[in-house]
Amino acid sequence: MRQLLGSFGLTLGLVCSTAATMAWAVAARRREAGEAGRWARIGTYGALLGAVVAVVVMVDALVQHDFSVRYVAENGGRAVPLYYTVISLWAALEGSLLLWLLVLTGLTALAMVRVHPRAGDLHPWAISVLSVLGAFFFALALFAGNAFDRVSPVPTDGPGPNPLLQDHPLMGVHPPLLYLGYVGMAVPFAYAIAALVTGRTGPAWVAVVRAWTLTAWAFLTAGVVMGGWWAYEVLGWGGYWAWDPVENVSVLPWFTATALLHSVMVQRRRPTLRLWNLTLAIATFVLVLFGTFLTRSGVVESVHAFTRSAIGPVLLGFLLAVVLGAGLLFLWRSDRLGDDEPLLATVSRETSFLANNLLLAGLAFTILLGTTFPIAVEAVTGDRLSVGAPYFTRMTVPLALLVILLMGIGPLLPWGRAQGRRVARQLLPSALAGLATVGLLGLSGLRGVPALLTFGLAVFVAGATLTRVVLDVARTRALRPGPLAGAAGRTLLDRRRTYGGLLVHLGFVLAAVAVAASSTYSSSATQQLAVGDTVRVGNWTATLQEVRRSADDRRTSVAADLLLREDGRDVGVHAPQLSTYPTLTQAVGTPSVRTTLTEDAYLVLTEVDPDDGTATVRLVVNPMVLWLWMSVPVMIVGAVAAGWPRRLPREPAAAALPRDPAHQAEEVKV
């Protein structure tokens, strides 16, 4: 019965998405909703219902241990705890497609009912594009990787999910956040395609997609960092980022989406960057599709990747079709992609945003090249190459430092044209503070030029941000005299979007400082210990107290009880362990981490002999890792403030802005 219900949900979703695609296109061409609009809405809700049915049936099958369902037989297990049983929905390829469909159809329905005032005839075309995406992924889940296929004979138990996916609660957080970020980028993509179809390439479509892009960006940011936290807590190699191909493709859309968020602000004020913004919106979702293909095709070997399946070639074909279709639309609308008012060849906030965009695009291209080059070489020659961390570090660090530099300069630049001396005077105190920071830290004995530059630039950005706030408060008091606190409060309310963006910058800088400190000044020691022996790193020591075995229905584990001390003070017993699973030939290590405000003591059990009571222990001291995780709430709060809807008047400066000639023609029937 569950096989029938699950397949029915996928079939319903496919039929409704296909019908909604056509109905929305008809409604768009008729320029009125009418009967076509009613059927389009029914189709959109029907697709969502189909995804909900499929997901609910699969979760029920996992919880009830229905091993007649293929996905449950391959990824379920009676000994798996309930929490990990439920989230096994996205532990493997076919189940992850169900989560993808649930998020996609949910966002499509939300985009259908939340219509931006400036959407106009962009809206039905955009929902039609989203429905096309839904129809494709429903067909993919139904025909190329149906999780509801029946197993015969029916096993009495299953192996459970990959052991790495049932050892940390972030398994229930990281993938959904990533999917909300990934799939959320489909909405800006859909509106970009709608802008090309209708010819409305002016400021209307960027006004519509700003909030959608910002929301998806926030989820993607949280998802990427939470993935690093998960790897740090589970994989046991002492770090949170390894330049793994699947890790790399997860951040590619983040770079292009970040660039889009900056450049749309320019187009909303001036008739420029049309082609660039449309390219960024489409490229972001193309990179999402590329990452989806890479993780589901089996072309890369990664702890994050799924196994090889028939889904990979189909995804590649769809990816190529999207790229080709977008390219044809660009050719068709080439007459509406020019800039009516090119950016001035002078220092201004617009040019700083353009420089920021070029740097972010350079980061994305550098990482994409390093990730795909070995794949391309192997496909052509059969030789296996490896592009490791030295390439990525050498190529990306200088670009990232320039991005941080612009975070300090850009907010103090005015729109239009800056007065060089005035801006230099405003930036001078922050620049001197940054230089003094680098000098003092260097004299104190810290080494590592990139890390020192990061610390100096962080102080520069913080100082420039404070300068911006002080100047804004002073202007507010000049216009509306009153107490300082009142002026600060009015400034915060009036410019909460601006300050939200500045808070995001500070969160990013905090993450950069944490990465620079933990990657440059990490120290470690590995030592074989008998009971009573101690391993020491800096002011941390770990003394072996006991080696013990344990077993349950899922695994057999050997743990080492280690008394951890900081500066001679006991901070507790920590127990890293090695576990063996029936489905794996190699033991899985689970680290134990002691986190403080300034550094982490990271314990890993690399080898153990329970009979002799000896254990080989690695103690790693990583500075400032906590602040990498803390940067996420800072950036999310900033994103919420930046994206919070304004009260009327919606855009008080709109009447004073230069009129976009292309916008006058946007309502012309195409």
Side-chain angles (χ1 to χ4, degrees):
M1 179 60 71
R2 290 189 179 92
Q3 289 88 349
L4 292 175
L5 283 175
S7 296
F8 167 77
L10 295 177
T11 304
L12 175 65
L14 175 58
V15 171
C16 289
S17 294
T18 304
T21 299
M22 296 184 290
W24 281 115
V26 170
R29 292 181 65 85
R30 291 180 179 176
R31 299 257 173 166
E32 59 183 20
E35 189 70 12
R38 186 170 71 89
W39 284 109
R41 288 189 291 273
I42 292 174
T44 301
Y45 285 127
L48 175 58
L49 176 62
V52 169
V53 168
V55 168
V56 169
V57 170
M58 181 55 71
V59 171
D60 178 67
L62 286 165
V63 172
Q64 298 300 324
H65 304 302
D66 185 355
F67 297 110
S68 66
V69 177
R70 179 173 63 84
Y71 187 82
V72 180
E74 295 175 353
N75 301 281
R78 298 186 186 277
V80 180
L82 179 61
Y83 174 74
Y84 293 103
T85 294
V86 172
I87 63 179
S88 295
L89 173 68
W90 50 81
L93 178 59
E94 294 84 357
S96 69
L97 279 177
L98 300 183
L99 176 62
W100 181 286
L101 282 168
L102 181 63
V103 175
L104 177 59
T105 54
L107 287 175
T108 303
L110 184 61
M112 177 183 68
V113 298
R114 292 189 61 84
V115 185
H116 193 278
R118 299 188 67 180
D121 58 346
L122 293 171
H123 179 256
W125 283 114
I127 306 302
S128 181
V129 172
L130 290 171
S131 299
V132 169
L133 296 176
F136 169 76
F137 281 99
F138 271 115
L140 194 68
L142 184 62
F143 299 115
N146 193 332
F148 297 98
D149 288 343
R150 184 172 182 81
V151 173
S152 182
V154 178
T156 58
D157 201 354
N162 185 316
L164 293 175
L165 307 181
Q166 50 176 307
D167 269 343
H168 200 281
L170 279 178
M171 169 59 185
V173 179
H174 164 60
L177 287 175
L178 271 186
Y179 278 51
L180 286 167
Y182 276 156
V183 183
M185 297 302 175
V187 179
F189 166 80
Y191 273 100
I193 296 296
L196 289 170
V197 170
T198 61
R200 294 183 59 188
T201 58
W205 82 272
V206 296
V208 175
V209 304
R210 178 186 178 275
W212 287 103
T213 307
L214 187 59
T215 303
W217 178 92
F219 281 118
L220 184 56
T221 300
V224 170
V225 179
M226 289 302 98
W229 191 4
W230 184 12
Y232 184 71
E233 294 277 353
V234 170
L235 295 182
W237 54 280
Y240 43 77
W241 193 266
W243 295 110
D244 177 277
V246 177
E247 291 176 342
N248 294 347
V249 296
S250 72
V251 298
L252 294 178
W254 187 91
F255 286 118
T256 53
T258 304
L260 178 62
L261 285 171
H262 288 80
S263 60
V264 296
M265 288 190 283
V266 177
Q267 189 178 350
R268 293 185 69 183
R269 288 167 172 80
R270 297 176 58 182
T272 187
L273 296 183
R274 284 195 186 91
L275 175 60
W276 180 248
N277 284 329
L278 288 165
T279 302
L280 283 176
I282 292 172
T284 298
F285 190 66
V286 166
L287 289 173
V288 168
L289 292 176
F290 175 72
T292 305
F293 158 73
L294 203 67
T295 56
R296 288 162 173 80
S297 61
V299 299
V300 295
E301 295 181 1
S302 166
V303 68
H304 306 86
F306 297 107
T307 57
R308 186 181 299 272
S309 75
I311 289 176
V314 181
L315 273 172
L316 179 60
F318 183 69
L319 171 63
L320 295 175
V322 169
V323 173
L324 178 61
L328 292 175
L329 283 174
F330 276 118
L331 289 175
W332 180 39
R333 292 301 188 189
S334 58
D335 60 326
R336 301 199 181 191
L337 299 177
D339 293 338
D340 299 321
E341 183 183 325
L343 290 178
L344 297 175
T346 185
V347 177
S348 66
R349 192 173 300 182
E350 295 96 317
T351 53
S352 74
F353 280 0
L354 181 59
N356 168 281
N357 270 224
L358 294 175
L359 290 171
L360 291 169
L363 281 165
F365 176 77
T366 299
I367 296 173
L368 179 64
L369 179 64
T371 304
T372 57
F373 181 73
I375 300 172
V377 169
E378 184 178 356
V380 174
T381 67
D383 298 330
R384 288 203 167 192
L385 298 180
S386 176
V387 176
Y391 161 82
F392 292 105
T393 302
R394 185 168 58 251
M395 299 298 292
T396 61
V397 168
L399 296 176
L401 291 174
L402 289 174
V403 169
I404 298 174
L405 176 65
L406 286 177
M407 287 181 179
I409 297 174
L412 288 175
L413 296 175
W415 296 101
R417 186 185 297 271
Q419 297 178 4
R421 291 184 179 179
R422 181 179 180 182
V423 173
R425 286 197 303 269
Q426 293 172 350
L427 289 173
L428 182 60
S430 302
L432 292 176
L435 290 172
T437 300
V438 174
L440 290 174
L441 291 177
L443 292 174
S444 70
L446 288 183
R447 295 294 179 262
V449 172
L452 292 175
L453 289 176
T454 302
F455 302 151
L457 287 172
V459 172
F460 170 70
V461 173
T465 302
L466 179 61
T467 301
R468 169 65 191 270
V469 173
V470 170
L471 292 173
D472 287 348
V473 171
R475 293 190 191 103
T476 301
R477 292 188 73 190
L479 294 173
R480 290 182 286 177
L484 180 62
R490 289 193 299 272
T491 303
L492 179 62
L493 290 175
D494 293 343
R495 306 190 181 186
R496 60 183 179 273
R497 286 191 171 186
T498 298
Y499 292 153
L502 293 177
L503 189 58
V504 172
H505 286 181
L506 292 177
F508 179 84
V509 169
L510 181 61
V513 168
V515 170
S518 60
S519 60
T520 305
Y521 305 115
S522 176
S523 55
S524 65
T526 302
Q527 187 173 329
Q528 186 179 37
L529 305 177
V531 173
D533 290 345
T534 297
V535 58
R536 177 186 298 273
V537 175
N539 59 338
W540 293 90
T541 62
T543 303
L544 181 63
Q545 292 188 322
E546 182 185 4
V547 176
R548 52 186 174 83
R549 286 175 170 158
S550 62
D552 55 30
D553 293 338
R554 292 191 296 148
R555 61 190 175 189
T556 301
S557 301
V558 180
D561 290 338
L562 295 155
L563 177 61
L564 190 64
R565 293 186 178 92
E566 181 186 12
D567 291 325
R569 178 176 56 87
D570 291 354
V571 295
V573 175
H574 291 253
Q577 64 183 28
L578 287 172
S579 302
T580 55
Y581 293 82
T583 56
L584 293 179
T585 57
Q586 189 173 8
V588 176
T590 303
S592 182
V593 185
R594 169 74 177 186
T595 298
T596 70
L597 287 175
T598 57
E599 59 189 8
D600 284 6
Y602 189 96
L603 290 162
V604 184
L605 185 60
T606 61
E607 190 176 350
V608 65
D609 189 339
D611 297 328
D612 292 343
T614 60
T616 301
V617 176
R618 184 174 181 231
L619 173 60
V620 185
V621 177
N622 293 320
M624 295 191 69
V625 175
L626 174 64
W627 298 103
L628 177 57
W629 321 137
M630 294 303 297
S631 70
V632 173
V634 175
M635 287 189 277
I636 298 303
V637 170
V640 171
W644 199 264
R646 289 177 176 173
R647 294 183 179 181
L648 293 176
R650 184 179 303 275
E651 294 187 28
L657 298 178
R659 185 159 180 81
D660 183 352
H663 179 56
Q664 301 175 11
E666 284 184 349
E667 299 300 331
V668 177
K669 187 173 182 180
V670 178

